[in-house]
Amino acid sequence: QVQVAESGGGLVQTGGSLRLSCAASGRLFATSVMAWFRQAPGKERGFVAAMGWNGVSTRHADSVKGRFTISRDNAKNTVYLQMSSLRPEDTAVYYCAAATYGTIWNVAADYDSWGQGTQVTVSS
């Protein structure tokens, strides 16, 4: 069983940047998938970005494409979400998720493990 814990959230002004980290414990495989989702107050949890643990494939939601980048550090068993050009509408709790043996990229129900979430607030 993979366990994940995210960190790095905070308060940032419009146009600023943040880097979120997600540390994973347990076994990860080449076919594992790590992802970021977010949930704003009163809204459903939505897909942000995902990548295969092999690092070959990445996916980004249209709303963040060109601004957010998912990456990994295999030695640290960690994935990152580099967020730039932040907007107030990016304000949400950001969750890291892992699917040990793979999943559909943007389907939250397919992920095995979830972090507690880290708050990102973008002020105008």
Side-chain angles (χ1 to χ4, degrees), residues 2-120:
V2 175
Q3 299 177 40
V4 295
E6 61 274 83
S7 62
L11 176 64
V12 65
Q13 293 183 337
T14 297
S17 299
L18 281 174
R19 188 194 196 196
L20 306 184
S21 299
C22 175
S25 61
R27 296 182 66 185
L28 290 170
F29 304 88
T31 53
S32 295
V33 177
M34 301 286 288
W36 291 94
F37 289 77
R38 66 185 180 184
Q39 187 167 22
K43 297 185 178 180
E44 68 277 6
R45 187 170 298 186
F47 173 76
V48 177
M51 71 180 304
W53 192 240
N54 60 15
V56 175
S57 298
T58 62
R59 299 287 187 273
H60 296 80
D62 289 343
S63 59
V64 306
K65 199 169 295 181
R67 299 188 299 119
F68 293 8
T69 302
I70 188 169
S71 62
R72 65 176 171 88
D73 185 334
N74 293 60
K76 296 180 179 179
N77 241 32
T78 300
V79 296
Y80 304 96
L81 185 68
Q82 179 64 53
M83 305 185 295
S84 301
S85 301
L86 283 162
R87 308 163 180 167
E89 51 263 44
D90 294 318
T91 296
V93 176
Y94 284 71
Y95 296 90
C96 180
T100 307
Y101 300 109
T103 187
I104 300 174
W105 299 96
N106 61 344
V107 178
D110 282 359
Y111 286 83
D112 305 315
S113 180
W114 291 84
Q116 298 282 6
T118 185
Q119 178 71 48
V120 173

